[in-house]
Amino acid sequence: MFCEQCEQTASGQGCHQWGACGKGPDVNAVQDLLMYCLRGIAPVALKAKELGIDTHAVDVFSCESMFATMTNVNFNRKRFYHYIREAIAQREKLKTQVEQISDRPISWSVAATYQPDWTDSLVAQGEEVSRNFIADSSQDIDIFSLKLTVLYGLKGLASYSFHAQELGQEDDRLYSFTHQALAALEEPNLSLEDWVNLAMKVGEMNLLAMELLDAGHTNHYGHPIPTVVPLNAKAGKAILVSGHDIKQLEAILQQTANTGINVYTHGELLPAHGYPVLKQKYPHLYGHYGTAWQNQTKDFAKFPGAIVITTNCLMPPHEHYEDKLFTLGPVGYPDINYLEDRANLTPDFGAVIHKALSLPGFAEDEPPRQVKTGFARNAVLNVSDQVIEAVKQGKIRHFFLVGGCDGAKPDRNYYTEFVDQVPSDCVVLTLACGKFRFFDKEMGEIGNIPRLMDVGQCNDAYSAIQIALGLAQAFDIGVNELPLSMILSWYEQKAVAVLLTLLYLGIKDIRLGPTLPAFISPNVFAILSAKYNLQAITTPEADLAACLN
Ligand code: FSO
Ligand code: SF4
């Protein structure tokens, strides 16, 4: 087994025996085999697009199944068997259509003609394609590094494309690029420069995917507005919804209307409370429960209702709560309830409701505690006049975007300490699950401007980018001239895609931690540092001083 796609990779070098995330070598092997099959679909899909054949099913399938291979999404080997069968079937169907229309014979790549031996172990075949990929790619460590950067960034991009598509937002440029980049991973002769350019192109396309997702969310649910969210439970039956998928959250809200069940968000669904349409239509979208993903084994064990995981980050569940846990979409775990999609892409949540009603729920109201979310681009840019005035008058000295993923490692305390030490004339914008280290911290206001603003989920990095670009425009300066520093924490592949987007936009001086990606070689890091002054975090004191200097 070889996997180094996330930040918690073993010894900071790669998981070889067993994944630090709980992924076994068998699951890793079938994930690698699926990725190989997707690299085989890619040239067929591109040829089909060239000939005007409808590739939509293959496009969506490629994104969803790639999403399932991301960290903490799907641990169910059988689910990957199903995806692999589907990949080969879809590829062959499309190939037949292509060959019927094409006026000349087509010579397909090895990956595009690959057929697993269904009578033999798919795990062993996955291990073999994985060994071949490493053997073919790793002679040049820097090219291997960039190939992995592209591969992992593509996974993040695929997840955003998938979410956008669920909300009716699609763009063929995303799908075409995804196939082009997957096909490139089979190309033996690309130069270092080609791979750097391809990595930046992943960033560019990821910006488009996040823009579409933002449009999907805001068209359906309105622009987020600053909203107070209860952190205390209230008496009654309860369902907890985790992950990032707001469309699935809405489906749960629709199906639980008038059941008396209160719906709580968990983890990256906290920002859902900021969407006015959800709040108005579904008063039983009550509050938020728990903190970041890595605390779920404790939080879920205590939650007295049913729990639905819509996307990452799912941890291997404990037996205390296995029977009340439900997965859907790309998420899965062996022997854990899986809710199949219906035609409208959302499942029947009857079993979840039944489970919630059979569990005790909260016996009494807890003492009030609350937090605020909903400071997305519209909310912040609507008060940009006040922000600019406060900066001009010297009331706001600096902005820090402290955001990204959380995780279990102790060195992530850096981010908590960093925010603790931010001077009182500075404002902190935050997003993604890293915020749970300080999300309920009372930081006060500067004038009417809160000193701590939650922009949203990791995918709302689009909103944070628009805030930065909007302020730069209002000040009539470049974004790198703004009194703004980005202090980012990464964990999985969406964070890789977002980082590539920020680099594609030419954003400099980003500080990244808690450790640098294992798949970035020293030379590749040196290239990125030279061009963008990308830096590893050091200490909160030193980094704060450098940012404010
Ligand atoms: Fe966190 Fe997990 Fe949102 Fe990630 S819940 S770690 S970058 O999947 O996606 O921020
Ligand atoms: Fe290791 Fe991360 Fe891969 Fe899991 S996803 S096997 S923790 S590198």
Side-chain angles (χ1 to χ4, degrees), residues 244 268 293 312-313 404-406 432-433 458 491-492 494-495:
H244 300 72
E268 278 279 70
W293 66 269
N312 46 346
C313 283
C405 324
D406 207 353
C433 58
C458 52
Y491 173 63
E492 43 82 337
K494 278 185 271 184

mmCIF file with all atom_site columns, all heavy atoms in Angstrom, residues 244 268 293 312-313 404-406 432-433 458 491-492 494-495, ligand 1:
data_model
loop_
_atom_site.group_PDB
_atom_site.id
_atom_site.type_symbol
_atom_site.label_atom_id
_atom_site.label_alt_id
_atom_site.label_comp_id
_atom_site.label_asym_id
_atom_site.label_entity_id
_atom_site.label_seq_id
_atom_site.pdbx_PDB_ins_code
_atom_site.Cartn_x
_atom_site.Cartn_y
_atom_site.Cartn_z
_atom_site.occupancy
_atom_site.B_iso_or_equiv
_atom_site.pdbx_formal_charge
_atom_site.auth_seq_id
_atom_site.auth_comp_id
_atom_site.auth_asym_id
_atom_site.auth_atom_id
_atom_site.pdbx_PDB_model_num
ATOM   1   N  N   . HIS A 1 244 ? -20.677 18.150 4.223  1.00 0.00 ? 244 HIS A N   1
ATOM   2   C  CA  . HIS A 1 244 ? -20.747 19.479 3.596  1.00 0.00 ? 244 HIS A CA  1
ATOM   3   C  C   . HIS A 1 244 ? -22.003 19.684 2.751  1.00 0.00 ? 244 HIS A C   1
ATOM   4   O  O   . HIS A 1 244 ? -22.185 20.762 2.200  1.00 0.00 ? 244 HIS A O   1
ATOM   5   C  CB  . HIS A 1 244 ? -19.558 19.685 2.654  1.00 0.00 ? 244 HIS A CB  1
ATOM   6   C  CG  . HIS A 1 244 ? -18.217 19.593 3.299  1.00 0.00 ? 244 HIS A CG  1
ATOM   7   N  ND1 . HIS A 1 244 ? -17.668 18.422 3.724  1.00 0.00 ? 244 HIS A ND1 1
ATOM   8   C  CD2 . HIS A 1 244 ? -17.296 20.555 3.573  1.00 0.00 ? 244 HIS A CD2 1
ATOM   9   C  CE1 . HIS A 1 244 ? -16.461 18.642 4.236  1.00 0.00 ? 244 HIS A CE1 1
ATOM   10  N  NE2 . HIS A 1 244 ? -16.210 19.928 4.165  1.00 0.00 ? 244 HIS A NE2 1
ATOM   11  N  N   . GLU A 1 268 ? -18.788 20.770 9.187  1.00 0.00 ? 268 GLU A N   1
ATOM   12  C  CA  . GLU A 1 268 ? -18.812 21.734 8.091  1.00 0.00 ? 268 GLU A CA  1
ATOM   13  C  C   . GLU A 1 268 ? -20.222 22.152 7.662  1.00 0.00 ? 268 GLU A C   1
ATOM   14  O  O   . GLU A 1 268 ? -20.367 22.952 6.738  1.00 0.00 ? 268 GLU A O   1
ATOM   15  C  CB  . GLU A 1 268 ? -18.057 21.150 6.898  1.00 0.00 ? 268 GLU A CB  1
ATOM   16  C  CG  . GLU A 1 268 ? -16.544 21.312 7.001  1.00 0.00 ? 268 GLU A CG  1
ATOM   17  C  CD  . GLU A 1 268 ? -16.103 22.698 6.582  1.00 0.00 ? 268 GLU A CD  1
ATOM   18  O  OE1 . GLU A 1 268 ? -16.384 23.664 7.329  1.00 0.00 ? 268 GLU A OE1 1
ATOM   19  O  OE2 . GLU A 1 268 ? -15.492 22.818 5.521  1.00 0.00 ? 268 GLU A OE2 1
ATOM   20  N  N   . TRP A 1 293 ? -14.332 17.456 12.823 1.00 0.00 ? 293 TRP A N   1
ATOM   21  C  CA  . TRP A 1 293 ? -14.538 16.050 12.454 1.00 0.00 ? 293 TRP A CA  1
ATOM   22  C  C   . TRP A 1 293 ? -13.780 15.078 13.350 1.00 0.00 ? 293 TRP A C   1
ATOM   23  O  O   . TRP A 1 293 ? -14.266 13.996 13.652 1.00 0.00 ? 293 TRP A O   1
ATOM   24  C  CB  . TRP A 1 293 ? -14.164 15.851 10.983 1.00 0.00 ? 293 TRP A CB  1
ATOM   25  C  CG  . TRP A 1 293 ? -12.698 16.046 10.686 1.00 0.00 ? 293 TRP A CG  1
ATOM   26  C  CD1 . TRP A 1 293 ? -12.089 17.210 10.327 1.00 0.00 ? 293 TRP A CD1 1
ATOM   27  C  CD2 . TRP A 1 293 ? -11.670 15.057 10.759 1.00 0.00 ? 293 TRP A CD2 1
ATOM   28  N  NE1 . TRP A 1 293 ? -10.739 17.013 10.171 1.00 0.00 ? 293 TRP A NE1 1
ATOM   29  C  CE2 . TRP A 1 293 ? -10.455 15.696 10.415 1.00 0.00 ? 293 TRP A CE2 1
ATOM   30  C  CE3 . TRP A 1 293 ? -11.635 13.699 11.061 1.00 0.00 ? 293 TRP A CE3 1
ATOM   31  C  CZ2 . TRP A 1 293 ? -9.231  15.022 10.386 1.00 0.00 ? 293 TRP A CZ2 1
ATOM   32  C  CZ3 . TRP A 1 293 ? -10.428 13.021 11.031 1.00 0.00 ? 293 TRP A CZ3 1
ATOM   33  C  CH2 . TRP A 1 293 ? -9.248  13.686 10.694 1.00 0.00 ? 293 TRP A CH2 1
ATOM   34  N  N   . ASN A 1 312 ? -17.212 13.716 3.514  1.00 0.00 ? 312 ASN A N   1
ATOM   35  C  CA  . ASN A 1 312 ? -16.160 13.649 4.523  1.00 0.00 ? 312 ASN A CA  1
ATOM   36  C  C   . ASN A 1 312 ? -16.398 14.753 5.570  1.00 0.00 ? 312 ASN A C   1
ATOM   37  O  O   . ASN A 1 312 ? -17.102 15.720 5.272  1.00 0.00 ? 312 ASN A O   1
ATOM   38  C  CB  . ASN A 1 312 ? -14.780 13.830 3.884  1.00 0.00 ? 312 ASN A CB  1
ATOM   39  C  CG  . ASN A 1 312 ? -14.725 14.972 2.900  1.00 0.00 ? 312 ASN A CG  1
ATOM   40  O  OD1 . ASN A 1 312 ? -15.735 15.504 2.469  1.00 0.00 ? 312 ASN A OD1 1
ATOM   41  N  ND2 . ASN A 1 312 ? -13.549 15.364 2.569  1.00 0.00 ? 312 ASN A ND2 1
ATOM   42  N  N   . CYS A 1 313 ? -15.839 14.523 6.774  1.00 0.00 ? 313 CYS A N   1
ATOM   43  C  CA  . CYS A 1 313 ? -14.872 13.501 7.127  1.00 0.00 ? 313 CYS A CA  1
ATOM   44  C  C   . CYS A 1 313 ? -15.521 12.445 8.033  1.00 0.00 ? 313 CYS A C   1
ATOM   45  O  O   . CYS A 1 313 ? -15.899 12.774 9.155  1.00 0.00 ? 313 CYS A O   1
ATOM   46  C  CB  . CYS A 1 313 ? -13.714 14.136 7.869  1.00 0.00 ? 313 CYS A CB  1
ATOM   47  S  SG  . CYS A 1 313 ? -12.554 15.023 6.795  1.00 0.00 ? 313 CYS A SG  1
ATOM   48  N  N   . GLY A 1 404 ? -9.110  26.646 6.993  1.00 0.00 ? 404 GLY A N   1
ATOM   49  C  CA  . GLY A 1 404 ? -8.706  25.359 6.436  1.00 0.00 ? 404 GLY A CA  1
ATOM   50  C  C   . GLY A 1 404 ? -9.205  24.246 7.323  1.00 0.00 ? 404 GLY A C   1
ATOM   51  O  O   . GLY A 1 404 ? -10.180 24.417 8.062  1.00 0.00 ? 404 GLY A O   1
ATOM   52  N  N   . CYS A 1 405 ? -8.510  23.140 7.254  1.00 0.00 ? 405 CYS A N   1
ATOM   53  C  CA  . CYS A 1 405 ? -9.015  21.930 7.909  1.00 0.00 ? 405 CYS A CA  1
ATOM   54  C  C   . CYS A 1 405 ? -8.465  21.791 9.309  1.00 0.00 ? 405 CYS A C   1
ATOM   55  O  O   . CYS A 1 405 ? -7.385  22.269 9.610  1.00 0.00 ? 405 CYS A O   1
ATOM   56  C  CB  . CYS A 1 405 ? -8.553  20.703 7.151  1.00 0.00 ? 405 CYS A CB  1
ATOM   57  S  SG  . CYS A 1 405 ? -8.490  20.898 5.391  1.00 0.00 ? 405 CYS A SG  1
ATOM   58  N  N   . ASP A 1 406 ? -9.221  21.038 10.104 1.00 0.00 ? 406 ASP A N   1
ATOM   59  C  CA  . ASP A 1 406 ? -8.698  20.672 11.416 1.00 0.00 ? 406 ASP A CA  1
ATOM   60  C  C   . ASP A 1 406 ? -8.198  19.231 11.355 1.00 0.00 ? 406 ASP A C   1
ATOM   61  O  O   . ASP A 1 406 ? -8.302  18.557 10.336 1.00 0.00 ? 406 ASP A O   1
ATOM   62  C  CB  . ASP A 1 406 ? -9.800  20.821 12.476 1.00 0.00 ? 406 ASP A CB  1
ATOM   63  C  CG  . ASP A 1 406 ? -9.203  21.113 13.850 1.00 0.00 ? 406 ASP A CG  1
ATOM   64  O  OD1 . ASP A 1 406 ? -7.973  21.064 13.987 1.00 0.00 ? 406 ASP A OD1 1
ATOM   65  O  OD2 . ASP A 1 406 ? -9.977  21.385 14.776 1.00 0.00 ? 406 ASP A OD2 1
ATOM   66  N  N   . ALA A 1 432 ? -13.987 26.801 6.999  1.00 0.00 ? 432 ALA A N   1
ATOM   67  C  CA  . ALA A 1 432 ? -13.733 25.350 7.062  1.00 0.00 ? 432 ALA A CA  1
ATOM   68  C  C   . ALA A 1 432 ? -13.641 24.872 8.514  1.00 0.00 ? 432 ALA A C   1
ATOM   69  O  O   . ALA A 1 432 ? -13.822 25.642 9.456  1.00 0.00 ? 432 ALA A O   1
ATOM   70  C  CB  . ALA A 1 432 ? -12.512 24.958 6.255  1.00 0.00 ? 432 ALA A CB  1
ATOM   71  N  N   . CYS A 1 433 ? -13.313 23.588 8.670  1.00 0.00 ? 433 CYS A N   1
ATOM   72  C  CA  . CYS A 1 433 ? -13.460 22.997 9.999  1.00 0.00 ? 433 CYS A CA  1
ATOM   73  C  C   . CYS A 1 433 ? -12.344 23.406 10.960 1.00 0.00 ? 433 CYS A C   1
ATOM   74  O  O   . CYS A 1 433 ? -12.465 23.184 12.174 1.00 0.00 ? 433 CYS A O   1
ATOM   75  C  CB  . CYS A 1 433 ? -13.564 21.481 9.899  1.00 0.00 ? 433 CYS A CB  1
ATOM   76  S  SG  . CYS A 1 433 ? -12.165 20.706 9.086  1.00 0.00 ? 433 CYS A SG  1
ATOM   77  N  N   . CYS A 1 458 ? -15.183 24.950 3.736  1.00 0.00 ? 458 CYS A N   1
ATOM   78  C  CA  . CYS A 1 458 ? -13.940 25.019 2.952  1.00 0.00 ? 458 CYS A CA  1
ATOM   79  C  C   . CYS A 1 458 ? -14.234 25.446 1.519  1.00 0.00 ? 458 CYS A C   1
ATOM   80  O  O   . CYS A 1 458 ? -13.469 26.197 0.913  1.00 0.00 ? 458 CYS A O   1
ATOM   81  C  CB  . CYS A 1 458 ? -13.202 23.686 2.991  1.00 0.00 ? 458 CYS A CB  1
ATOM   82  S  SG  . CYS A 1 458 ? -14.202 22.277 2.558  1.00 0.00 ? 458 CYS A SG  1
ATOM   83  N  N   . TYR A 1 491 ? -5.672  19.502 5.283  1.00 0.00 ? 491 TYR A N   1
ATOM   84  C  CA  . TYR A 1 491 ? -5.799  18.112 5.723  1.00 0.00 ? 491 TYR A CA  1
ATOM   85  C  C   . TYR A 1 491 ? -5.974  17.197 4.516  1.00 0.00 ? 491 TYR A C   1
ATOM   86  O  O   . TYR A 1 491 ? -5.173  16.315 4.288  1.00 0.00 ? 491 TYR A O   1
ATOM   87  C  CB  . TYR A 1 491 ? -6.963  17.965 6.704  1.00 0.00 ? 491 TYR A CB  1
ATOM   88  C  CG  . TYR A 1 491 ? -7.234  16.523 7.063  1.00 0.00 ? 491 TYR A CG  1
ATOM   89  C  CD1 . TYR A 1 491 ? -6.270  15.767 7.717  1.00 0.00 ? 491 TYR A CD1 1
ATOM   90  C  CD2 . TYR A 1 491 ? -8.430  15.900 6.718  1.00 0.00 ? 491 TYR A CD2 1
ATOM   91  C  CE1 . TYR A 1 491 ? -6.479  14.424 8.006  1.00 0.00 ? 491 TYR A CE1 1
ATOM   92  C  CE2 . TYR A 1 491 ? -8.651  14.567 7.017  1.00 0.00 ? 491 TYR A CE2 1
ATOM   93  C  CZ  . TYR A 1 491 ? -7.676  13.827 7.655  1.00 0.00 ? 491 TYR A CZ  1
ATOM   94  O  OH  . TYR A 1 491 ? -7.882  12.503 7.932  1.00 0.00 ? 491 TYR A OH  1
ATOM   95  N  N   . GLU A 1 492 ? -7.044  17.432 3.741  1.00 0.00 ? 492 GLU A N   1
ATOM   96  C  CA  . GLU A 1 492 ? -7.278  16.479 2.652  1.00 0.00 ? 492 GLU A CA  1
ATOM   97  C  C   . GLU A 1 492 ? -7.254  17.160 1.281  1.00 0.00 ? 492 GLU A C   1
ATOM   98  O  O   . GLU A 1 492 ? -6.716  18.252 1.132  1.00 0.00 ? 492 GLU A O   1
ATOM   99  C  CB  . GLU A 1 492 ? -8.543  15.648 2.930  1.00 0.00 ? 492 GLU A CB  1
ATOM   100 C  CG  . GLU A 1 492 ? -9.742  16.417 3.453  1.00 0.00 ? 492 GLU A CG  1
ATOM   101 C  CD  . GLU A 1 492 ? -10.539 17.106 2.394  1.00 0.00 ? 492 GLU A CD  1
ATOM   102 O  OE1 . GLU A 1 492 ? -10.033 17.395 1.302  1.00 0.00 ? 492 GLU A OE1 1
ATOM   103 O  OE2 . GLU A 1 492 ? -11.710 17.403 2.660  1.00 0.00 ? 492 GLU A OE2 1
ATOM   104 N  N   . LYS A 1 494 ? -9.428  18.472 -0.869 1.00 0.00 ? 494 LYS A N   1
ATOM   105 C  CA  . LYS A 1 494 ? -10.096 19.729 -1.220 1.00 0.00 ? 494 LYS A CA  1
ATOM   106 C  C   . LYS A 1 494 ? -9.177  20.896 -0.889 1.00 0.00 ? 494 LYS A C   1
ATOM   107 O  O   . LYS A 1 494 ? -9.111  21.879 -1.619 1.00 0.00 ? 494 LYS A O   1
ATOM   108 C  CB  . LYS A 1 494 ? -11.409 19.869 -0.440 1.00 0.00 ? 494 LYS A CB  1
ATOM   109 C  CG  . LYS A 1 494 ? -12.530 19.111 -1.090 1.00 0.00 ? 494 LYS A CG  1
ATOM   110 C  CD  . LYS A 1 494 ? -13.826 19.366 -0.381 1.00 0.00 ? 494 LYS A CD  1
ATOM   111 C  CE  . LYS A 1 494 ? -14.015 18.373 0.723  1.00 0.00 ? 494 LYS A CE  1
ATOM   112 N  NZ  . LYS A 1 494 ? -15.317 18.522 1.387  1.00 0.00 ? 494 LYS A NZ  1
ATOM   113 N  N   . ALA A 1 495 ? -8.465  20.739 0.215  1.00 0.00 ? 495 ALA A N   1
ATOM   114 C  CA  . ALA A 1 495 ? -7.527  21.800 0.607  1.00 0.00 ? 495 ALA A CA  1
ATOM   115 C  C   . ALA A 1 495 ? -6.398  21.924 -0.418 1.00 0.00 ? 495 ALA A C   1
ATOM   116 O  O   . ALA A 1 495 ? -5.895  23.029 -0.663 1.00 0.00 ? 495 ALA A O   1
ATOM   117 C  CB  . ALA A 1 495 ? -6.966  21.507 1.989  1.00 0.00 ? 495 ALA A CB  1
HETATM 118 FE FE1 . FSO B 2 .   ? -12.792 19.750 7.074  1.00 0.00 ? 1   FSO B FE1 1
HETATM 119 FE FE2 . FSO B 2 .   ? -12.901 17.181 6.429  1.00 0.00 ? 1   FSO B FE2 1
HETATM 120 FE FE3 . FSO B 2 .   ? -14.113 20.938 4.774  1.00 0.00 ? 1   FSO B FE3 1
HETATM 121 FE FE4 . FSO B 2 .   ? -12.027 18.793 4.576  1.00 0.00 ? 1   FSO B FE4 1
HETATM 122 S  S1  . FSO B 2 .   ? -14.465 18.330 7.450  1.00 0.00 ? 1   FSO B S1  1
HETATM 123 S  S2  . FSO B 2 .   ? -11.251 18.418 6.562  1.00 0.00 ? 1   FSO B S2  1
HETATM 124 S  S3  . FSO B 2 .   ? -10.692 20.233 3.647  1.00 0.00 ? 1   FSO B S3  1
HETATM 125 O  O1  . FSO B 2 .   ? -13.058 17.261 4.642  1.00 0.00 ? 1   FSO B O1  1
HETATM 126 O  O2  . FSO B 2 .   ? -13.470 19.593 3.709  1.00 0.00 ? 1   FSO B O2  1
HETATM 127 O  O3  . FSO B 2 .   ? -12.799 21.390 6.004  1.00 0.00 ? 1   FSO B O3  1
#
